[in-house]
Amino acid sequence: MGDPAGIGPEITVKALAHPEVYERCRPLIVGDLSVLQQAAKTVERVSGGEISVPGFREIWEPAQGEYRYGMADVLNEKLVDMEHLEIGKVSSMGGNAAFGYVEKVIGLAMEGKVDATVTNPLNKEALNLAGHHFAGHTEIYAHFTGTKHYTMMLVHQNLRVVHVSTHVSLREACDRVKKERVLEVIRIADQACRDMGIHTPRIGVAGLNPHCGENGLFGREELDEIVPAVCQAMREGIRAEGPVPPDTVFSRARGGMYDIVVAMYHDQGHIPLKVVGFVYNQEAGKWDTVEGVNITLGLPIIRTSVDHGTAYDQAGKGTAGELSLLNAIDYAARFAGRPGEGKYAMQENAGE
């Protein structure tokens, strides 16, 4: 459900108002029933009844769910005191609740009780206020699954990006560009594409420095770390190419030259994807589209997520869009072995 003070509860309600979701999977909400009921009232009021918000059915185990459209099944964790919940505000209660929901779904997936997990946003400040010192969802999943080798993949339509590093300072990110890590991420990217049905993935590996360092003039990371990683990947039969200048590699990928891009750090990968996936309407004063999916690769379980934050400024207004969540649900179903294109599924390039 995500942070109870953010937009997660509202977009969850909106997503499950789409009957197509129930054609793709059997959705189970892990969260607080009282928060969801409040969110449903908000969405229904703001939409003027145009959105068919679901009712809710409390269960205690996934096997008890009926999974029928119009009546959403909820594992009610009861981590929120509604008298003290302030929508749109950072709080330790909200951070603790969001953490509790994530810990619960990881456990369900590790026990084989659910096939995949989809996360709504949490707030990192709230998470740490609650005493849970993680940089975000990715690190929580890695911790509770005992995973050491993992990376984040962002997806919007045919643009896919994986990262050598994510939630560290830019200075530390540069220090993490090492042959072993770059090669590891190339391998993970190749396998992820194959898991999505792309039989011979074409991987563009971004450089770190402007113009890929100009043969050492602007830095030696390309020569000393990235080139050796790409050469080793090629020897292993992986169709990797690079380093490719960061200012053109994403345009090439969007144009179909690459199936996936290996970015060297967080913002190098996030900015281009959000430029195409997030569309702000200045005249209307709102976001027309907030689209994209965040997928953690390398885990023993499936985890997809929306590619946006808690949006406290929109929380409680019933206006936040659910498209990113619908995309995340589609990808979770796809990775769980339920292929096929739902209404909101993103098209794949099958490669050669």
Side-chain angles (χ1 to χ4, degrees):
M1 190 186 78
D3 188 321
I7 62 172
E10 294 168 43
I11 63 175
T12 297
V13 169
K14 286 186 171 184
L16 296 191
H18 292 260
E20 295 89 352
V21 171
Y22 285 79
E23 295 171 7
R24 304 269 350 250
C25 64
R26 296 188 297 169
L28 168 65
I29 307 173
V30 175
D32 264 64
L33 179 59
S34 55
V35 178
L36 290 163
Q37 290 171 331
Q38 176 177 283
K41 290 178 182 177
T42 299
V43 169
E44 188 171 36
R45 183 185 72 252
V46 172
S47 73
E50 291 184 7
I51 296 177
S52 299
V53 299
F56 301 100
R57 180 172 177 268
E58 184 177 5
I59 63 174
W60 291 267
E61 285 289 335
Q64 296 174 328
E66 294 182 356
Y67 306 109
R68 55 186 174 87
Y69 175 68
M71 185 60 66
D73 296 285
V74 181
L75 278 179
N76 187 14
E77 294 297 284
K78 301 180 181 179
L79 296 175
V80 176
D81 180 351
M82 293 300 289
E83 292 186 4
H84 294 92
L85 176 64
E86 293 186 77
I87 301 297
K89 299 289 182 67
V90 173
S91 72
S92 60
M93 180 176 69
N96 185 64
F99 179 83
Y101 308 148
V102 174
E103 185 178 14
K104 179 68 173 182
V105 298
I106 292 172
L108 292 173
M110 292 294 285
E111 293 169 9
K113 294 182 178 180
V114 299
D115 296 313
T117 68
V118 181
T119 57
N120 270 302
L122 54 73
N123 180 279
K124 296 174 180 61
E125 182 182 354
L127 185 70
N128 281 269
L129 274 177
H132 305 297
H133 301 297
F134 292 91
H137 276 116
T138 304
E139 292 75 15
I140 297 172
Y141 270 78
H143 174 76
F144 283 107
T145 61
T147 303
K148 294 183 178 179
H149 305 293
Y150 57 91
T151 190
M152 176 190 299
M153 178 170 73
L154 301 181
V155 180
H156 174 66
Q157 296 178 357
N158 72 330
L159 182 58
R160 306 173 190 87
V161 182
V162 291
H163 301 72
V164 169
S165 69
T166 49
H167 299 130
V168 297
S169 71
L170 183 56
R171 186 179 303 279
E172 184 177 342
C174 293
D175 293 336
R176 291 195 181 194
V177 178
K178 299 298 183 185
K179 174 189 173 182
E180 293 75 13
R181 174 59 178 168
V182 175
L183 178 59
E184 177 181 74
V185 175
I186 293 172
R187 289 168 175 160
I188 292 174
D190 181 71
Q191 186 59 54
C193 287
R194 294 178 187 276
D195 290 343
M196 289 187 288
I198 302 171
H199 304 300
T200 53
R202 299 157 298 178
I203 303 171
V205 182
L208 174 66
N209 299 298
H211 306 172
C212 288
E214 291 280 12
N215 283 318
L217 183 63
F218 304 144
R220 292 195 55 86
E221 286 84 2
E222 284 80 8
L223 294 174
D224 297 342
E225 309 294 344
I226 301 175
V227 168
V230 171
C231 290
Q232 177 60 38
M234 293 173 66
R235 286 193 289 269
E236 295 175 7
I238 297 173
R239 294 181 63 187
E241 180 180 317
V244 183
D247 56 0
T248 62
V249 67
F250 300 100
S251 294
R252 296 184 189 193
R254 197 175 182 213
M257 188 177 293
Y258 304 119
D259 296 301
I260 194 166
V261 175
V262 175
M264 291 300 115
Y265 57 93
H266 183 281
D267 283 9
Q268 188 187 67
H270 278 62
I271 290 172
L273 190 130
K274 291 190 176 183
V275 164
V276 298
F278 289 25
V279 179
Y280 185 73
N281 186 327
Q282 184 174 358
E283 184 176 337
K286 67 182 183 68
W287 293 96
D288 283 344
T289 303
V290 177
E291 188 173 2
V293 181
N294 179 340
I295 303 167
T296 306
L297 304 177
L299 300 173
I301 60 177
I302 297 166
R303 180 255 170 165
T304 70
S305 180
V306 296
D307 187 26
H308 57 72
T310 49
Y312 285 148
D313 59 325
Q314 296 182 54
K317 298 179 180 179
T319 57
E322 71 275 24
L323 184 55
S324 183
L325 179 55
L326 290 167
N327 289 336
I329 292 169
D330 258 339
Y331 258 86
R334 188 176 305 184
F335 272 99
R338 290 167 174 78
E341 299 296 342
K343 182 177 179 182
Y344 302 95
M346 289 170 277
Q347 298 295 318
E348 300 295 354
N349 176 359
E352 293 183 359

